[in-house]
Amino acid sequence: MDFLLRWFFAVVLIAGTYNPTDWNYVTWVGRTWPDQMPLAVLMGLILLVGYVIYLRATFRSIGAFGMILVAAIVAALIWVLVDYGIVRLDNPGMNTWIGIWALSLVLGVGLSWSIFRRRLSGQADVDDLDD
């Protein structure tokens, strides 16, 4: 359940920033920038805080190599789904959603990795303490 909640918020963060519908930050700012500049800046900063939290936690837990490895596994899964005809890549909107789900999966795994490791190994992670 912990992983699903973290993954859900990663999907909300990424899809809230950009998705193929009109309900996203990038499209909204493009339409309302002169009139809604203060609100657009506030919302952009809130999104930035979300990205900093997710990316920092992901880099600290699985690192760049782990992110590449998770992305490669997701890419291989998409390849299998395309090869079996379950997913088609001829729709640009669907491709965008696939990218959103893939990136959110990388961030969700990164944010949840310490929990996975603790459950698998029984060992808790201890963060480095600053002097």
Side-chain angles (χ1 to χ4, degrees):
M1 185 64 184
D2 293 332
F3 170 73
L4 293 177
L5 191 60
R6 287 174 174 86
W7 186 22
F8 171 76
F9 283 114
V11 170
V12 169
L13 179 67
I14 295 170
T17 304
Y18 181 77
N19 65 64
T21 70
D22 287 337
W23 293 89
N24 63 74
Y25 176 77
V26 171
T27 303
W28 173 71
V29 167
R31 281 192 318 244
T32 63
W33 177 252
D35 300 326
Q36 298 289 330
M37 188 184 309
L39 184 58
V41 170
L42 175 63
M43 296 304 293
L45 290 172
I46 291 170
L47 285 172
L48 180 63
V49 167
Y51 280 108
V52 167
I53 290 169
Y54 265 86
L55 289 171
R56 186 163 190 259
T58 300
F59 274 115
R60 288 184 62 101
S61 65
I62 61 176
F65 179 73
M67 290 176 75
I68 292 169
L69 185 59
V70 173
I73 291 169
V74 171
L77 173 64
I78 293 167
W79 186 12
V80 168
L81 294 174
V82 169
D83 190 52
Y84 281 99
I86 298 169
V87 173
R88 294 180 44 170
L89 298 179
D90 57 355
N91 181 347
M94 179 59 80
N95 293 346
T96 303
W97 282 113
I98 289 171
I100 289 168
W101 285 96
L103 290 173
S104 67
L105 187 60
V106 172
L107 293 179
V109 167
L111 202 64
S112 302
W113 185 249
S114 292
I115 295 168
F116 289 151
R117 186 185 341 210
R118 183 175 56 239
R119 287 185 183 161
L120 290 173
S121 69
Q123 298 176 350
D125 291 337
V126 177
D127 289 335
D128 298 330
L129 298 176
D130 295 331
D131 293 327

